[in-house]
Amino acid sequence: MPLKETQILLARLFTDADLRRAFAEDPVAIARRFGLNEKEAREFARVDQAALARFAQSLLSKRALDARKALPLTARVLGDEFERRFFEAVSGPPAPARYRADAAALARRLAALAEGEGAPAWIGDLARYELAFVAASHPGAVCLFRRFRYPVARIASTLLLGGTPDAAPRTSVGVWLRAPGTRLFYRFASR
Amino acid sequence: MDGFVPGSALGSGLGYRPQFRADLFANRSKVDFLEIIADHYFDAPPEKLAELDLLAGHFPLVPHGLDLSIGSAEGLDPRYVDKFAALIERIDPPWWSEHLCFTRAGGVSIGHLAALPHTQEAVDMVARNVETLRKAIKAPLILENITAMVLVPGAEMDEPEFLARVLTETGCGWLCDAHNLYVNAVNHRVDLDANFERWPWERLVQIHYAGGRWRRNVLIDSHDRPTAEPVWALFERIVARAPVKGAILERDERLPPFGELLGEVERARAILKKCGRCL
């Protein structure tokens, strides 16, 4: 089987649930679509589809794990709910700069949660706060300004000290600055 | 030229994780060298590069890449190669390592290590990519065997022969991940004892070891558990068989108290000494 076409087909099967479903129904046709000839497609069709599904699931779990590392306080607050929320937020193959893209998708999803949807009201702010540090972690110039509905820096400090935040809404702002080649500067203020 | 690794053995070390930095420095004398995840230092902010320089000032470092995709039929990403070359220039390691796999194809980033088909075409492609690499990076490269959850149909050879051919045609050394060998043997019902001598032990430079877990009757290379006794037995058999230069505990997740990690590093060191390696 031609290596290039086989790798392209595998990469799509690993990351595209819709394609996997289509492949399960007619593997030879899907393989032909990706440039394999009839004989090669019949050979490729012998791939273990259960193993394909397991590998695909492991990739999603790995993305969730990477998102946990990018948003550790958010992950701690959500606990066992983190993966469910993550899988609700992301779909399709990983985007370029996937760590940031996946974490951003989750932060957007959490920010859109209605009050009482099984997570603290400030969870979206916390995710956006942590995401700002991710966005600032490169050597070039950084100038980020974020506005939050809650005193998110205090919430994060409380969590880091092992406490349980009990925060009322209070507008706060954060700024992240870096001149190229220098260390990151960040400050927060609330009303 | 045989692309093997000159110089002395490094001993028993750890895959570096920032979470245990303080403990690591408090126990410097118990860790012979560190393996760093190369990708964590690409396009890194000054704080992260300061950490790299701190580590390099106190430990021999070996960079281990994740996303080179050395088996990619579309060739290497020149920007990734440049970043790796810059890192190697900065820390001057005795060798560096990557995985015998592909991680992207057709514009899709898989997000993890995918097994190559065991074909001569794949061997030739890896050889071409390594030849390209050697123009940018002169430090010796060693290649790691990975777990294969999905076996690509149409194999022309089995894993030991595929690895041996790749290492012969590239001139690279071998980073033997003992846990990955074990995982593939368990999941694909391969008799490791029967084919032990067919692996390219003469190419061995470094060993990885770690623990995995079972999920729905499949052993996963999760690197999130202590090393299991069958893997320790395999580790000892490998070390007795081949002149390994370094062993790394590759614990990635669910990090235990640092003393437990040091316990495994010390057990590996004891085995190395017993077999007359890394003295």
Side-chain angles (χ1 to χ4, degrees), chain A residues 1-4 6-8 10-12 14-15 43-44 46-48 51-52 54-55 58-59 61-62 65 69 93-94 98 136-139 178 181-184, chain B residues 43-47 50 67 71-74 102 104-106 108-117 119 121-122 125 149-154 215 218 252-253:
Chain A
M1 288 189 290
L3 183 65
K4 182 176 173 182
T6 303
Q7 288 183 343
I8 291 172
L10 282 168
R12 284 289 307 278
F14 292 152
T15 57
E43 179 145 62
F44 188 91
R46 295 191 294 115
V47 74
D48 182 341
L52 267 180
R54 277 196 302 271
F55 190 62
S58 76
L59 296 178
S61 295
K62 188 169 186 313
L65 184 60
K69 291 176 185 173
R98 60 178 180 266
S137 63
H138 62 82
R178 188 202 304 276
T182 66
R183 289 183 176 262
L184 183 66
Chain B
D43 298 326
E47 305 85 63
D67 210 13
S72 176
E74 295 167 327
F102 73 109
R104 52 185 159 71
V108 172
S109 173
I110 297 168
H112 201 37
L113 316 171
L116 294 169
T119 62
E121 186 184 4
M125 180 53 64
M149 201 176 281
V150 179
L151 295 178
V152 185
R215 186 166 63 206
V218 176
D252 292 338
E253 308 298 338

Side-chain angles (χ1 to χ4, degrees), chain A residues 118-141:
Chain A
W122 39 260
I123 194 70
D125 273 3
L126 181 64
R128 289 175 54 238
Y129 165 87
E130 294 195 285
L131 187 63
F133 282 97
V134 174
S137 63
H138 62 82

Side-chain angles (χ1 to χ4, degrees), chain B residues 194-233:
Chain B
N195 77 5
F196 185 82
E197 284 302 324
R198 294 187 56 241
W199 292 91
W201 300 117
E202 71 283 1
R203 296 266 168 184
L204 184 67
V205 174
Q206 183 187 320
I207 296 181
H208 274 166
Y209 60 99
R213 58 185 154 85
W214 289 91
R215 186 166 63 206
R216 295 187 200 127
N217 299 323
V218 176
L219 186 56
I220 307 293
D221 60 326
S222 52
H223 294 250
D224 63 356
R225 299 286 194 278
T227 306
E229 287 307 315
V231 178
W232 278 121

Side-chain angles (χ1 to χ4, degrees), chain A residues 21 45 67 69 81 100 110 126 128 153 157 167 177 184 187:
Chain A
R21 274 190 286 275
K69 291 176 185 173
E81 277 286 293
R100 191 184 304 183
L110 292 174
L126 181 64
R128 289 175 54 238
S157 297
L177 297 170
L184 183 66
R187 282 293 183 271

Side-chain angles (χ1 to χ4, degrees), chain A:
Chain A
M1 288 189 290
L3 183 65
K4 182 176 173 182
E5 287 77 6
T6 303
Q7 288 183 343
I8 291 172
L9 174 53
L10 282 168
R12 284 289 307 278
L13 287 171
F14 292 152
T15 57
D16 186 338
D18 290 338
L19 188 71
R20 276 197 306 282
R21 274 190 286 275
F23 182 78
E25 288 182 15
D26 194 342
V28 174
I30 297 298
R32 294 290 319 263
R33 236 171 68 187
F34 279 79
L36 275 60
N37 66 29
E38 181 71 21
K39 184 179 171 208
E40 291 160 351
R42 290 196 177 281
E43 179 145 62
F44 188 91
R46 295 191 294 115
V47 74
D48 182 341
Q49 294 199 25
L52 267 180
R54 277 196 302 271
F55 190 62
Q57 182 57 44
S58 76
L59 296 178
L60 284 174
S61 295
K62 188 169 186 313
R63 286 172 71 181
L65 184 60
D66 290 338
R68 276 183 181 273
K69 291 176 185 173
L71 309 176
L73 293 178
T74 305
R76 190 196 302 179
V77 170
L78 289 176
D80 292 341
E81 277 286 293
F82 183 89
E83 275 209 1
R84 182 176 75 81
R85 300 285 186 189
F86 178 79
F87 293 139
E88 283 171 0
V90 303
S91 63
R98 60 178 180 266
Y99 305 115
R100 191 184 304 183
D102 282 351
L106 177 59
R108 278 194 298 274
R109 172 93 184 162
L110 292 174
L113 280 182
E115 201 156 327
E117 259 197 77
W122 39 260
I123 194 70
D125 273 3
L126 181 64
R128 289 175 54 238
Y129 165 87
E130 294 195 285
L131 187 63
F133 282 97
V134 174
S137 63
H138 62 82
V142 170
C143 180
L144 295 176
F145 179 84
R146 297 285 183 268
R147 189 166 177 270
F148 304 98
R149 288 190 299 137
Y150 287 85
V152 69
R154 186 161 61 80
I155 290 170
S157 297
T158 304
L159 287 167
L160 281 167
L161 291 170
T164 305
D166 183 19
R170 191 160 58 132
T171 299
S172 65
V173 295
V175 61
W176 289 256
L177 297 170
R178 188 202 304 276
T182 66
R183 289 183 176 262
L184 183 66
F185 168 89
Y186 49 91
R187 282 293 183 271
F188 307 97
S190 39
R191 266 196 313 129

Side-chain angles (χ1 to χ4, degrees), chain B residues 31-86:
Chain B
V31 178
D32 297 330
F33 75 110
L34 297 175
E35 186 180 79
I36 57 167
I37 302 298
D39 306 56
H40 292 176
Y41 300 96
F42 297 162
D43 298 326
E47 305 85 63
K48 198 67 181 165
L49 292 177
E51 174 189 82
L52 178 66
D53 293 339
L54 177 69
L55 296 175
H58 292 86
F59 299 92
L61 299 183
V62 170
H64 184 55
L66 300 178
D67 210 13
L68 184 63
S69 198
I70 203 160
S72 176
E74 295 167 327
L76 302 174
D77 179 346
R79 290 163 301 181
Y80 189 94
V81 173
D82 286 346
K83 290 174 191 178
F84 221 132

